[in-house]
Amino acid sequence: MNKAVDLIDKLSAQRTLTVEEYKYLLDNRSPDVETYAREKADFFRQQIYGNSVYVRGLIEISNICKNNCLYCGIRGGNTNCQRYRLSAEEIFNCCVEGYKLGFRTFVMQGGEDEYFSDDILVPLIKKIKSKFPDCAVTLSLGERSKESYESLFLAGADRYLLRHEAADEELYSMLHPQGMSYSNRMECLKNLKEIGYQVGCGFMVGAPYQTTEHMAKDLKFIEEFGPQMCGIGPFVPHKDTIFKDQKSGSADLTCFLLSLIRIIKPNLLLPATTALGTVEDDGRERGILSGANVIMPNLSPEGVRAKYDLYDNKLSTGAESAQKITELSRRMEKIGFKIEITRGDAKGR
Ligand code: SAH
């Protein structure tokens, strides 16, 4: 009997394992165990989403950031970073372009740039929602006050992505400077959920100091928090950070985690991230085949893409760009999937 296979069966039946059991799975993955998890994940995903893949147009609105997350290339303390900020008009124009290309979700992501106050964002979100009522707006703008999250939600924002980064408080504090706190991150996630956003959490795979026990806790957190979305991707070092000499996270482990997360919550919106594509050129495909059902091509104006430099070798000219959506569609069709032109909300509970 293979205990890891038994645990995957148990997870499939009960959607819950203990932290120790998750850790056992992560410590005992083999190609056979990975295949078994992938088949289960595929089965559950097919039941809910068929062979549909949802796309989101990612607009990187600013790389100006007041935080200094130790792993991140656009951290405020990086003086080598060429800063930029899109105007509300430029952001709106990205949506116009994206709509024509078939995108029905726009994701505005950026550093924590104080320029983007509610006074700027509220009218912008309202304008996007009134011009494109069949589209969803997702925000990924870091930690804000509950009042701000409320105003942005009332303006029409539908979803919010805020990776929890680490469910273990000690690891969280090793990856972030003093002044950023695990408890505030958690408070933000709780607030977003209370307000009624579709919420996304997530973490980097293979981050510095991270062990399988930490990742087991991340899985437990996802299970208990019950997000609608979850962003995970390999850690990739950035040359202007103290972690520049670290190794990238493993693509195999990322794919295994994608499968386990799909099994934990079958209707989750789970992206195959660009970071996975950085580590492997068919990362997007591998991610989808492992249980992901979302891709987020880049809709930022071409001139700024390379500047939103979270990690080294971030893709910014190839099939990840929104304009190459036909190429991406073909790549998906090759592996038996189909890109859908819809908002792509989570189905079922
Ligand atoms: N400021 C926003 C958006 C952050 S960027 C926020 O705080 O939520 C989006 C994600 O990129 C982060 O949550 C982080 O998990 C990931 N990221 C940052 N640096 C990275 C790196 N070096 N390797 C891989 N992923 C990274």
Side-chain angles (χ1 to χ4, degrees), residues 86 169 260 271 313 343:
L86 300 184
E169 186 161 5
L260 296 181
N313 306 317
R343 277 172 52 117

Side-chain angles (χ1 to χ4, degrees), residues 71-72 109-110 142 162-163 165 185 204 234-236 310-311:
Y71 45 82
C72 183
Q109 185 177 91
L162 184 75
R163 289 189 176 180
E165 310 293 0
R185 201 79 179 172
M204 296 181 293
F235 161 76
V236 183
L310 301 176
Y311 43 83

